[in-house]
Amino acid sequence: MTSLPADDIASPTSTWDLVPATVLSTTETDGPDRPEPRPACEDVRPVIAGHRLIGACADGPRAAQLMFVSDAEGRLARAAEDGSVEPGCTLEELAGDLARSTGRQLHPENPGLRRVLLVRLDAPELPLLAALSGTGFTAVSRHGWSVVVFDGELDYWAVRTGLDETAVVLSSDGATRSFEVLLAGEDPADVTELDSADAVCVLEWGPPWQPAGGLPAGSGRTPAGQFEQDLVRLCAGGTSELQIESVASVFDLDPAETNRLRNYVGGGSTDLVLESVLQLVGLPVLAAKIAEGRREMADLEDARHYEPTAMGPALLRGMTTEPTGDGLMARYQRAVLRRPELLLALAGTEAALGLGLAGAARRGGSGARVLGTLSAALLADAAAESAYWATVRRARRGSARAVPAGLLRRFFGLPEG
């Protein structure tokens, strides 16, 4: 939850926290084949008014998004008789009243929200991600990036807050959408100062926000009315120019491309807008299709599920997983997996050179120590290549396992790229 400064409102508590909620739209049928969604805000307003709650509402095609504020004990802010702000009922009490009065269910989280993490890790690195984070997820890789859908909300947050790689989070519930850039070592969710919120790399689309209808007529000039106006303004803030420029800077967009991004942000919340932005910044558009529900992981032949394991099995699985990127290490690993006999040829060459250098070192001389060191390194590399060949051979016989590219680079002493 995000804290609001207490100085901005008349409140007996030190801070108020944002509390989101969702009410699913019901369906009315004019005919047997014509279901029409009925806006949820119309039904919930009388209940919210009965509690005099300060809130904001945005009506989407399948659900209404609500936003309230609560004190440290979870009591929602309401308008007192004199127009000031005071604690009222809890979200659970409001949900019970709403269910009794309208039959609608109030959800503290959005049940229709689909969230996808697009992270700059290739397929061989995903088993290690699952092992290190202790999370389960399904992923598919494209061009060195991986589209990840987590088994649960806690798994998502565990990975999000511990990432050391640049990543993008796509969110959509069919009405409200967002494109959020996570920079390595920084999480925009940690931003709690409203003055700093514009610096977050987030692009947002969605239906317009309006007062939830809980305040009596003529409350606009009261502290409660002003607080509700601030809340609506905060929810309806949209995407600032600074946020657009921040995203453009992360992906090195030129002025023409930045203007295209600005046009996308200024347009409507359609099911193609996330795909358009991904195409513009050069990331796999498959992530947007999954976030919008147009594609499912279960329908992708190369999608794989990952469970947290010990480091050993994770390394082995990565070592025999074919990468999708175009870097030097990815090309090397693809060649090895397709023609593992190359490893034996390389190991044999290194072993022969190592033995020759060892003989020269034994004869002594000023360079004996250097020759001995080089010999030991070559023989060690030959042994590693032979072990890698054995692992690949076993995998090709039916026991597939994999190493993250970063570990392979360090293991074989290859350069980055």
Side-chain angles (χ1 to χ4, degrees):
M1 292 185 293
T2 303
S3 297
L4 297 175
D7 293 342
D8 291 349
I9 59 173
S11 168
T13 60
S14 58
T15 59
W16 292 98
D17 292 322
L18 293 175
V19 180
T22 302
V23 179
L24 297 181
S25 296
T26 57
T27 299
E28 293 178 337
T29 304
D30 294 336
D33 299 319
R34 293 190 58 191
E36 296 291 340
R38 187 174 71 222
C41 283
E42 295 180 7
D43 282 353
V44 302
R45 280 199 176 99
V47 180
I48 293 174
H51 289 276
R52 303 172 63 96
L53 294 177
I54 297 171
C57 179
D59 233 332
R62 293 194 292 267
Q65 298 301 309
L66 301 172
M67 186 69 72
F68 302 104
V69 288
S70 73
D71 62 11
E73 298 179 0
R75 296 172 299 175
L76 304 181
R78 56 169 280 167
E81 292 294 339
D82 61 358
S84 63
V85 179
E86 65 179 11
C89 67
T90 65
L91 190 64
E92 291 76 13
E93 291 169 342
L94 176 64
D97 195 1
L98 184 66
R100 287 188 295 271
S101 302
T102 69
R104 291 183 179 272
Q105 299 298 313
L106 182 69
H107 302 268
E109 300 291 341
N110 186 347
L113 181 68
R114 296 172 64 101
R115 184 183 284 122
V116 173
L117 179 70
L118 186 56
V119 62
R120 192 165 58 184
L121 293 174
D122 208 345
E125 299 169 284
L126 295 177
L128 188 60
L129 175 64
L132 292 175
S133 64
T135 61
F137 54 82
T138 302
V140 61
S141 300
R142 295 286 188 274
H143 311 299
W145 286 76
S146 293
V147 182
V148 182
V149 176
F150 290 92
D151 293 349
E153 190 76 1
L154 293 179
D155 289 337
Y156 162 74
W157 284 105
V159 170
R160 173 193 171 114
T161 55
L163 275 177
D164 288 328
E165 299 285 344
T166 298
V168 172
V169 177
L170 303 180
S171 299
S172 174
D173 65 0
T176 300
R177 297 173 169 88
S178 67
F179 175 102
E180 181 179 7
V181 182
L182 305 179
L183 301 179
E186 300 180 15
D187 186 359
D190 292 335
V191 176
T192 56
E193 295 294 333
L194 296 183
D195 293 340
S196 304
D198 280 345
V200 178
C201 296
V202 182
L203 310 178
E204 297 178 308
W205 300 263
W209 286 83
Q210 54 190 320
L215 302 190
S219 301
R221 295 180 179 273
T222 66
Q226 293 173 5
F227 187 23
E228 186 171 70
Q229 293 172 15
D230 291 341
L231 179 60
V232 172
R233 187 163 53 248
L234 175 64
C235 294
T239 303
S240 70
E241 179 64 23
L242 179 58
Q243 289 169 311
I244 296 173
E245 295 288 346
S246 298
V247 172
S249 176
V250 169
F251 293 100
D252 296 324
L253 302 185
D254 61 30
E257 292 169 329
T258 302
N259 193 52
R260 284 177 58 192
L261 180 64
R262 189 177 292 109
N263 290 336
Y264 290 146
V265 172
S269 181
T270 70
D271 58 359
L272 292 178
V273 67
L274 293 178
E275 188 172 333
S276 299
V277 173
L278 286 176
Q279 189 172 29
L280 176 62
V281 300
L283 297 181
V285 298
L286 176 63
K289 296 178 186 295
I290 293 174
E292 295 290 355
R294 298 199 304 276
R295 296 293 299 273
E296 297 292 342
M297 282 289 192
D299 299 331
L300 303 174
E301 292 185 358
D302 54 344
R304 298 290 182 269
H305 188 263
Y306 298 86
E307 292 285 352
T309 63
M311 288 296 294
L315 292 175
L316 290 174
R317 185 176 181 183
M319 191 176 289
T320 52
T321 297
E322 187 166 334
T324 65
D326 298 322
L328 174 62
M329 190 58 225
R331 293 196 298 270
Y332 169 78
Q333 192 170 356
R334 273 198 300 271
V336 165
L337 291 173
R338 293 171 184 176
R339 299 186 60 188
E341 63 273 13
L342 294 174
L343 286 170
L344 283 183
L346 180 59
T349 301
E350 289 182 333
L353 289 174
L355 291 173
L357 291 175
R362 284 196 297 270
R363 289 193 290 271
S366 59
R369 178 174 297 180
V370 174
L371 293 175
T373 301
L374 290 175
S375 171
L378 286 170
L379 291 174
D381 279 351
E385 301 282 0
S386 299
Y388 189 14
W389 170 80
T391 300
V392 173
R393 185 180 63 172
R394 285 195 302 270
R396 294 186 66 171
R397 287 178 177 175
S399 57
R401 306 275 190 268
V403 177
L407 289 183
L408 282 174
R409 282 192 289 267
R410 293 192 290 272
F411 189 69
F412 292 112
L414 294 175
E416 300 285 335

